[in-house]
Amino acid sequence: MNMREQFIIKGLGGAKRLEGSIAVRGAKNGVLKALAATVLFDDEVPMTNVPDIEDVKRMRELLEALKVEPTVLKKDIAEKFRASIVLTGPVLARQGKVEFPFPGGCVLGERSIDLFLNGFRAMGASVEEGESYFTIRAEGGKLRGEHITFPLVSVTATETLMMAAVLAEGTTLLQNAALEPEIADLALYLNECGAQISGAGTPTITIVGGGLLHAGGISYNTPPDRIETGSFAILAALVGKDVTITNCNPAWVDVPLALLRQAGVDVEAGKDVIRIRAGDMPYQMVSVHTHEYPGFATDLQAPMAVFMSQCQGEGSILETIFDGRFRYVDDLALMGADIVVMSPHRVVVRGPKKLSRKNLESPDLRGGLAYILAAAVAEGTSTVDNAYLIDRGYEHIEERLAPLGLDIKREMT
Ligand code: EPU
């Protein structure tokens, strides 16, 4: 664990210097679900493009612990990341029982698990809430297919119930499902291995339950990380002269790229590559409205706020998914940004404003990355403490940004 490490970043003071190319790694929020899906298999699942990040290590630890206690998601590990809850579906479907603590992860406001519990209940399971663990038991040891309509769109609830339904008896219909591309990508892979899932990537997913899946040597190829792609594009727009982002899927970041273009950034997108060159300065202000995919991802909201602080005019961010995702705002304001929280869901940004150095502490994974961007734009040398939070989702970020010309190092605190 890297709790006691920090990044030291020498800011460019508004100059646009970064040059070269940077490759996007496999998607955190893709591979974590694929790792959970391995519980549905009767053989080993080969995987490629797996990012070397802390959340992947935690998921592997949870899977290891299941070898000893096959129905228990260990509390001390599961509490470290939200994606741990995705394992509940496959474990319950396979073992007929699962015990798990309330999942941890970034503090983004209220993050309930009612959609999961109600989904399991609908599929014929009982829910018992103990002091530190929930215990879910499938009636007769087997989940049964059901028609489930989600009252709101949830990425992990969609994935969890989709995976549980693969081993359930009968057919499950999920309505108002999330559309994130990692979901369709995972369904495609599970189908190659024997699952019968149709409609993944649309609001209605149908799953015909069956027996254990068999990989037979077919690999799960982790798709490129959309959030990393968008974050690098924003970094390049802020401090880049000519930056090429490779190994990505530009179609998955359509909305953020459209906003950057609207602001005046020179964005050129190919099939799996994006080239960003500094456009006419200052950039024009844009406004952001976070939304489920294919809308503007909430995970790119904090990095985008840093971008907006450098744009001319007044804009706003409407955060529609979470009610506690502005914890980065105070520090950004202390660095010199004109950014004001109007409500738990809305901030207003005016710019452009020069940012100056600050010693920062990551508030959460995506907020931490935004701090790296802010430090890169600012005048002077900043530190970003609590590197572990950034390492949860970004592989060796300093080693990958330094070759572009950013002066960034990691050190013990
Ligand atoms: N919600 C409920 N009840 C539930 C589940 C969700 O009320 O049982 C609410 C949440 O509180 C939230 C909304 O539904 O207000 C949507 O949340 P969702 O469930 O879609 O979020 P999630 O599945 O917990 C995933 C990603 C997040 C990403 C969101 C939104 C993973 C592991 N996490 O979270 O990623 O922000 O979808 O796209 O896939 C990150 O990677 O840093 C991250 C936070």
Side-chain angles (χ1 to χ4, degrees), residues 118-378:
N118 290 340
F120 292 147
R121 284 189 187 105
M123 295 176 85
S126 65
V127 175
E128 198 185 304
E129 188 174 346
E131 202 151 285
S132 43
Y133 279 90
F134 291 88
T135 304
I136 319 276
R137 286 187 185 82
E139 203 180 291
K142 194 105 177 114
L143 292 175
R144 52 164 200 268
E146 221 356 291
H147 183 153
I148 295 168
T149 300
F150 294 113
L152 54 87
V153 178
S154 162
V155 175
T156 43
T158 299
E159 294 163 329
T160 303
L161 295 181
M162 179 176 92
M163 289 195 262
V166 165
L167 298 184
E169 231 153 57
T171 301
T172 300
L173 190 70
L174 302 178
Q175 301 269 34
N176 199 23
L179 309 181
E180 269 61 10
E182 295 81 15
I183 302 175
D185 184 79
L186 176 62
L188 215 59
Y189 176 70
L190 299 181
N191 284 347
E192 278 186 76
C193 303
Q196 294 181 68
I197 305 171
S198 53
T202 78
T204 306
I205 307 180
T206 308
I207 307 107
V208 180
L212 290 175
L213 305 182
H214 188 74
I218 306 173
S219 310
Y220 167 79
N221 300 315
T222 315
D225 195 302
R226 285 178 291 128
I227 308 306
E228 208 174 79
T229 307
S231 305
F232 292 166
I234 293 168
L235 174 74
L238 282 167
V239 288
K241 192 166 158 202
D242 188 350
V243 173
T244 301
I245 302 163
T246 62
N247 295 14
C248 62
N249 185 343
W252 289 356
V253 283
D254 245 3
V255 176
L257 292 187
L259 284 175
L260 292 180
R261 284 195 183 101
Q262 190 185 317
V265 181
D266 181 351
V267 180
E268 213 180 291
K271 189 170 162 283
D272 56 5
V273 69
I274 299 169
R275 184 174 180 189
I276 307 258
R277 277 170 290 188
D280 288 337
M281 297 306 295
Y283 294 136
Q284 292 309 302
M285 185 60 84
V286 289
S287 282
V288 171
H289 179 140
T290 67
H291 198 276
E292 292 91 4
Y293 188 84
F296 188 93
T298 168
D299 293 344
L300 284 174
Q301 187 246 106
M304 198 63 179
V306 179
F307 176 77
M308 288 165 67
S309 74
Q310 302 306 301
C311 292
Q312 172 84 47
E314 178 179 311
S316 65
I317 298 177
L318 186 64
E319 168 57 58
T320 68
I321 312 286
F322 294 111
D323 52 19
R325 216 166 193 185
F326 291 140
R327 296 197 305 144
Y328 65 88
V329 165
D330 287 352
D331 276 331
L332 219 51
L334 287 171
M335 291 177 84
D338 184 348
I339 179 166
V340 181
V341 176
M342 311 301 285
S343 84
H345 292 278
R346 189 162 172 268
V347 298
V348 168
V349 186
R350 292 181 196 87
K353 287 281 184 188
K354 280 202 181 315
L355 302 186
S356 48
R357 65 153 304 280
K358 189 169 186 323
N359 294 335
L360 300 152
E361 188 174 333
S362 296
D364 52 60
L365 167 61
R366 309 301 177 185
L369 201 273
Y371 282 179
I372 290 187
L373 303 195
V377 177

Side-chain angles (χ1 to χ4, degrees), residues 43-62:
D43 62 348
E44 285 212 340
V45 177
M47 292 191 176
T48 63
N49 200 28
V50 176
D52 183 11
I53 55 176
E54 292 297 328
D55 275 15
V56 163
K57 292 180 195 158
R58 298 297 87 74
M59 186 59 100
R60 286 190 195 280
E61 287 165 12
L62 270 184

